[in-house]
């Protein structure tokens, strides 16, 4: 059994197969090493490149014995792989824009229809990122919110306590395993919804009172990165982030990490 194509064709096919193989190995070594959004893109890229590599292997076999026997399969594999790689590249660029250039995304537009801006009025909350290391003080903040005339988003386990005094300015994200809410492991979904809300409502206040619940389903490192990302987005958009954490559920080291990023109240 010998080559049935010119030698240079075989060499080009082999180089491309090795290059894709290296990219697959590169991605494999980075699986589950980053935050939720980036991990998803890495997994998608890994799968799509794996499909392309299967196509390359079939193409190499064709160089020796089978001619175009695998042509249809190869075309299907390449088609899916190319579409997948295009998607992951575009999604990665969007992720970079949201993380490092949120103001650029706002100015350029994201296809989100703007709501009429709701002024803060005499809001007691100044722009910044704050942490309250006690769940019992949430009631004090809720008391202040009852007369709020500025936009608020609450990421919570108890949506009813916010809906009871919603005057059309509060949006609630219910974090739960029950259908109708958002899964506690879907931090990227929560983050996207928060960013869209603040883009539509500059200077909004975002409250996270479900940190303990998120920690039940995610490693502290992942939750911490999620909270820091929210902080960066909101500060860039002149918003306010307030997180409530029961200090009995975090270690002293974890507490110190939080206090380095968030101003205690």
């Amino acid at each position: 059994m010998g080559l049935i194509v010119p030698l240079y064709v075989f060499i080009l096919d082999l180089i491309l197969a090795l290059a894709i193989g290296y990219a697959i190995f590169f991605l494999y070594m980075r699986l589950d090493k980053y935050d939720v959004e980036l991990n998803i893109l890495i997994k998608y890229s890994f799968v799509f490149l794996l499909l392309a590599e299967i196509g390359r292997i079939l193409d190499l076999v064709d160089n020796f014995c089978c001619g175009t026997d695998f042509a249809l399969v190869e075309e299907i594999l390449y088609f899916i792989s190319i579409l997948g790689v295009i998607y992951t590249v575009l999604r990665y660029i969007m992720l970079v824009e949201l993380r490092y250039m949120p103001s650029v995304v706002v100015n350029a537009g994201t296809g989100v229809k703007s709501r009429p801006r709701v002024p803060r009025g005499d809001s007691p909350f100044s722009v910044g990122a704050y942490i309250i290391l006690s769940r019992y003080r949430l009631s004090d903040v809720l008391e202040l919110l009852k007369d709020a005339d500025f936009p608020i988003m609450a990421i919570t386990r108890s949506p009813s306590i916010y809906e009871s005094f919603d005057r059309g300015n509060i949006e609630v994200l219910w974090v739960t395993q029950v259908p109708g809410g958002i899964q506690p492991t879907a931090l990227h979904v929560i983050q996207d919804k928060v960013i869209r809300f603040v883009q539509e409502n500059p200077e909004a206040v975002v409250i996270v009172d479900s940190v303990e619940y998120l920690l039940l389903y995610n490693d502290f490192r992942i939750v911490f990165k999620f909270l820091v990302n929210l902080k960066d987005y909101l500060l860039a958009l002149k918003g306010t982030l307030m997180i409530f954490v029961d200090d009995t559920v975090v270690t002293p080291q974890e507490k110190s990490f939080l206090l380095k990023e968030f101003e205690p109240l």
Side-chain angles (χ1 to χ4, degrees), residues 130-143:
Y130 305 97
I131 183 171
I132 297 91
L133 288 164
S134 171
R135 294 196 63 185
Y136 301 106
R137 292 184 57 193
L138 177 60
S139 58
D140 297 334
V141 175
L142 294 178
E143 189 65 30

Side-chain angles (χ1 to χ4, degrees), residues 175-209:
V175 185
T176 177
Q177 295 275 31
V178 175
I182 300 178
Q183 295 286 328
T185 54
L187 299 181
H188 63 291
V189 175
I190 299 174
Q191 182 172 287
D192 287 346
K193 288 182 178 293
V194 171
I195 292 170
R196 286 179 178 274
F197 180 81
V198 180
Q199 286 173 348
E200 295 175 16
N201 301 278
E203 301 184 6
V205 173
V206 176
I207 296 175
V208 184
D209 68 18

Side-chain angles (χ1 to χ4, degrees), residues 151-164:
I152 299 167
M153 171 171 276
I155 303 167
T156 182
R157 286 282 299 137
S158 306
S160 59
I161 63 176
Y162 294 93
E163 293 168 352
S164 62

Side-chain angles (χ1 to χ4, degrees), residues 9 43 53-54 64 91 100 103 139 145 160 177 192 209 211 220 228 240 247-248 250 264:
V9 173
K43 289 176 181 178
E53 184 70 342
I54 294 172
F64 286 92
R91 183 61 184 158
Y100 301 107
S103 59
S139 58
L145 294 177
S160 59
Q177 295 275 31
D192 287 346
D209 68 18
V211 174
F220 174 81
V228 171
T240 298
D247 57 0
T248 62
V250 292

